[in-house]
Amino acid sequence: METRVIQLIMELRRQGITDTRVLAAIERVPRERFVADQFLKHAYDNIALPITQGQTISQPFVVAYMTEALRLGDRMKVLEIGTGSGYQSMVLAKLCRRVYTIERYRSLLQTAQRRFADLGVNNITAKLGDGNKGWVEQAPFDRILVTAAADRRPETLLEQLSPDGGIMVAPVAVSAIEQDVIRYTRTGDDIQEERLLPVRFVPLLPGIAREAAG
Ligand code: SAH
C-alpha cells in the first residue's frame, strides 16, 4: 500500500472516522484515477480538488464522513445526486449492492463512466439528468446521498426514499452563507432531521447543463 494512502487513512481516523468498512473502501479506491493529471501529486491529500466544468471532487474527509453517516448495508440500493468525478460513486459501490448516480453535465458523466469501466466496476448505473427529480423508475432507495448543496429540504428525493428507515444525507443551505450536512431518516411519512456538519459544496442546480459540443 502506498505511503500516502496509509497517511490519508490515519488522518481520517484522527478526524473521527471510525467505520472500518468506510475506511477500507477509501483505501481501496484509487483517487488518482479521478483527478486531472496536474493534480496527481495531490490525489491523496485531504483536500477537495477542481474537476472540469467548475466542479470539485470532494475532500476525502467529507466523502468518508457522509458515507459513514449513511449507515450503508451491503444489500442496499443507493441513489447519488452529482456524479462529478465518479469518486464518491466508487466508494459507495464498494459498500452496497447497487449505486444509481445522476449528473447534469454530459462530459463529466462520460468521463466518470469511462473510469467505472476501466476499474471494472459493474454495480454503478449512471445517467444524465436533473438530480432534483430523482430517479422515479428505480425508487424507492434504501439510501440517498446528495453531493451538491440544496437550497432547501429536497422533498422530491425524500419521496423516493424507502419509508422503512430510509436515510438521506445531503448538504443543505441553513443560511445565505452556511450549509450543513443533514441526515434525514424516514419512517412512514415521518422524517427525522439531524444537523451533522458545516460544509461547503457547489450548488445543486436546476436542469441539465448546456455544454458546447465536442
Ligand atoms: N460526488 C462527486 C462530487 C461532485 S461536485 C465526486 O465525488 O466527484 C457536485 C456535482 O453535482 C457536480 O458535478 C455538479 O455538476 C453536479 N450537480 C449539480 N446539480 C445537479 C443536479 N441538479 N443534478 C445532477 N447533478 C448535479
Side-chain angles (χ1 to χ4, degrees), residues 34 49 51-58 63 80-90 101-105 108 115 127-133 145-149 201-209:
F34 295 85
L49 291 168
I51 55 177
T52 56
Q53 309 297 350
Q55 306 302 316
T56 51
I57 173 172
S58 308
V63 171
E80 179 195 24
I81 307 303
T83 317
S85 68
Y87 176 71
Q88 171 78 72
S89 327
M90 272 297 289
T101 182
I102 307 176
E103 172 55 53
R104 65 188 290 279
Y105 279 99
L108 289 174
R115 289 168 177 154
K127 76 165 183 182
L128 183 72
D130 178 359
N132 290 293
K133 300 186 172 128
L145 178 61
V146 184
T147 69
F201 271 84
V202 296
L204 185 68
L205 295 171
I208 290 171

Side-chain angles (χ1 to χ4, degrees), residues 38-213:
Q38 71 261 40
F39 298 114
L40 274 178
K41 61 179 196 300
H42 298 293
Y44 293 96
D45 293 356
N46 193 12
I47 53 173
L49 291 168
I51 55 177
T52 56
Q53 309 297 350
Q55 306 302 316
T56 51
I57 173 172
S58 308
Q59 181 190 8
F61 169 69
V62 174
V63 171
Y65 185 93
M66 291 176 86
T67 305
E68 185 171 76
L70 275 176
R71 300 181 171 145
L72 290 169
D74 57 10
R75 303 308 306 155
M76 289 179 176
K77 179 176 170 182
V78 180
L79 175 66
E80 179 195 24
I81 307 303
T83 317
S85 68
Y87 176 71
Q88 171 78 72
S89 327
M90 272 297 289
V91 172
L92 294 172
K94 301 270 185 216
L95 297 167
C96 69
R97 182 167 55 81
R98 180 155 286 278
V99 178
Y100 293 87
T101 182
I102 307 176
E103 172 55 53
R104 65 188 290 279
Y105 279 99
R106 186 181 297 278
S107 58
L108 289 174
L109 177 78
Q110 288 175 340
T111 304
Q113 284 177 313
R114 185 156 17 85
R115 289 168 177 154
F116 301 150
D118 288 350
L119 291 166
V121 56
N122 52 24
N123 64 336
I124 301 177
T125 308
K127 76 165 183 182
L128 183 72
D130 178 359
N132 290 293
K133 300 186 172 128
W135 196 320
V136 180
E137 299 79 4
Q138 293 299 338
F141 297 94
D142 301 302
R143 299 290 186 260
I144 299 177
L145 178 61
V146 184
T147 69
D151 55 11
R152 65 181 73 89
R153 189 166 109 153
E155 299 296 344
T156 304
L157 296 177
L158 286 169
E159 286 166 15
Q160 294 180 25
L161 191 59
S162 162
D164 188 18
I167 294 177
M168 174 166 86
V169 170
V172 180
V174 290
S175 77
I177 51 161
E178 292 164 298
Q179 312 160 357
D180 283 351
V181 170
I182 313 269
R183 175 165 53 204
Y184 301 92
T185 306
R186 180 169 169 187
T187 313
D189 287 333
D190 179 66
I191 309 277
Q192 190 208 325
E193 275 190 46
E194 299 160 89
R195 270 195 193 193
L196 301 181
L197 180 79
V199 280
R200 282 200 77 81
F201 271 84
V202 296
L204 185 68
L205 295 171
I208 290 171
R210 283 165 176 274
E211 285 178 272

